[in-house]
Amino acid sequence: MDYFGYRQGEIHAEDLPLSRIAGEVGTPFYCYSTATLIRHYNVFCEAFPGDDFLLCYSVKANSNQAVLKTLAKEGSGADVVSGGELRRALAAGIPAEKIVFSGVAKTAQEMAYALEQGIFQFNVESVAEVQELNRVALSMGRVAAIAFRINPDVDARTHAKISTGKSENKFGIPLSRARQIYADAAALPAIRVQGVDIHIGSQLTDLEPFAQAFRRVVSLVGELRADGHDISVLDLGGGLGIPYDRASTKPPLPLEYGAMVRRIIGPLGCRILIEPGRLLVGNAGILVARVIYVKQGADRKFLIIDAAMNDLVRPSLYDAYHEIVPAVESSGPMVSYDVVGPICETGDTFARARELPELKSGDLVMIRSAGAYGAVMSSTYNTRPLVPEVLVKGGDFAIVRPRPTYDEIIGLDVIPEWLDQT
Ligand SMILES: *Cc1c(COP(=O)(O)O)cnc(C)c1O
């Protein structure tokens, strides 16, 4: 559930009409709803009542400081995948002891910074990485608490580009080598083995792949404990999907996910970490755009809007479906549009043959479910200014990342001296 919908015939973000924000900010822009963010955070926490549980929000889904701070105030931890994200999480007030550091290849500098800050856990993905972490920690006189990310070789049944738990994917250590790798790591002087980590993919709409992977974790934990390791933390990753197409996708609810986790993992008596990203922020954000032109092609109508693939790349990168909704309610006849952006790429297409009420130049539309992997993946391709972000709370809104000016964008480039001497 989210807080974007029609009131008196016009889309509102919480208590604000979109047209009002668009009038002040200009289009395109991302718009986030505080109430939706908080609701999603609480829904997840309610799915793990009474458990020794920490939600580590996956910062890469949406790393705006205002979004992070909203979640931090609710008590959220963070899952980061780079030194930059770690700095963002700390800057937003998420305490180091609630932060886990994931990612395939952390550098020595990133490790040193994380050790200095005293994060809760490194999720390590290779033998080479644990050896490097040991070396860095030793040189600082610290001990690094770790979990290994296990690659359970299960099919997450999601888009190939966001499936991460198959043996052919680059992520994690193979389950078959886990016991040996844990034994070797436990012998390293600056490493403390405390957990097992897993993350099999994103936008999962079925609980079964999770359950299959978690069952493999349970038997591994049994073996590791028998080998003498003190395994007290299970990081189950993120990945729970959201209904991008609300008419046809019904992903499992966090409550059902939580019950499944408790059934399978509960008996181990571990601290449970989960790292949802998309589920917290996806439906808490929309992309608002204006129609520039309507163009009649040979056999189809193009709705050309002022947002493009540089602002929201998911449709062209993942063939992602996003609902598109006119800002003003209409009961007129439906028209089939290809909804496209102005960029010089055929991939700059948000939707094909989408049935929408008739729209004209200047009309506002909202692209739904754009809060996750939207703004964070945006670029300035075609020298289009980075899309601004707005956070709404009740009847208030704030620009939480402004649109850069053209001078700011061009000013980032540097002319070498030899070109300057005219
Ligand atoms: C991306 C990622 C997540 C979050 O995935 P969602 O599908 O957004 O919930 C969690 N953990 C790790 C390690 C990730 O890479």
Side-chain angles (χ1 to χ4, degrees), residues 147-167:
F148 278 106
R149 177 170 177 178
I150 305 299
N151 185 321
D153 193 23
V154 298
D155 185 352
R157 294 182 223 150
T158 183
H159 191 276
K161 283 187 180 161
I162 47 175
S163 176
T164 58
K166 290 276 288 169
S167 60

Side-chain angles (χ1 to χ4, degrees), residues 58 60-61 79 81 102-103 149 197 199 201-203 237-240 275-279 373:
S58 177
K60 77 176 194 286
D79 165 45
V81 293
S102 301
R149 177 170 177 178
D197 167 50
H199 172 73
S202 202
Q203 186 52 21
L240 202 53
E275 306 170 341
R278 191 187 308 273
L279 200 122
Y373 308 106

Side-chain angles (χ1 to χ4, degrees), residues 342-382:
I343 283 185
C344 202
E345 301 257 359
T346 300
D348 186 22
T349 297
F350 289 109
R352 287 183 209 285
R354 187 67 64 87
E355 296 287 322
L356 292 169
E358 180 149 35
L359 287 159
K360 58 181 189 319
S361 177
D363 286 347
L364 278 179
V365 296
M366 79 162 167
I367 301 178
R368 269 193 183 277
S369 310
Y373 308 106
V376 284
M377 286 186 162
S378 61
S379 76
T380 57
Y381 186 39
N382 280 208

Side-chain angles (χ1 to χ4, degrees), residues 415-422:
I415 307 284
E417 233 169 62
W418 68 81
L419 283 177
D420 233 359
Q421 296 161 349
T422 41

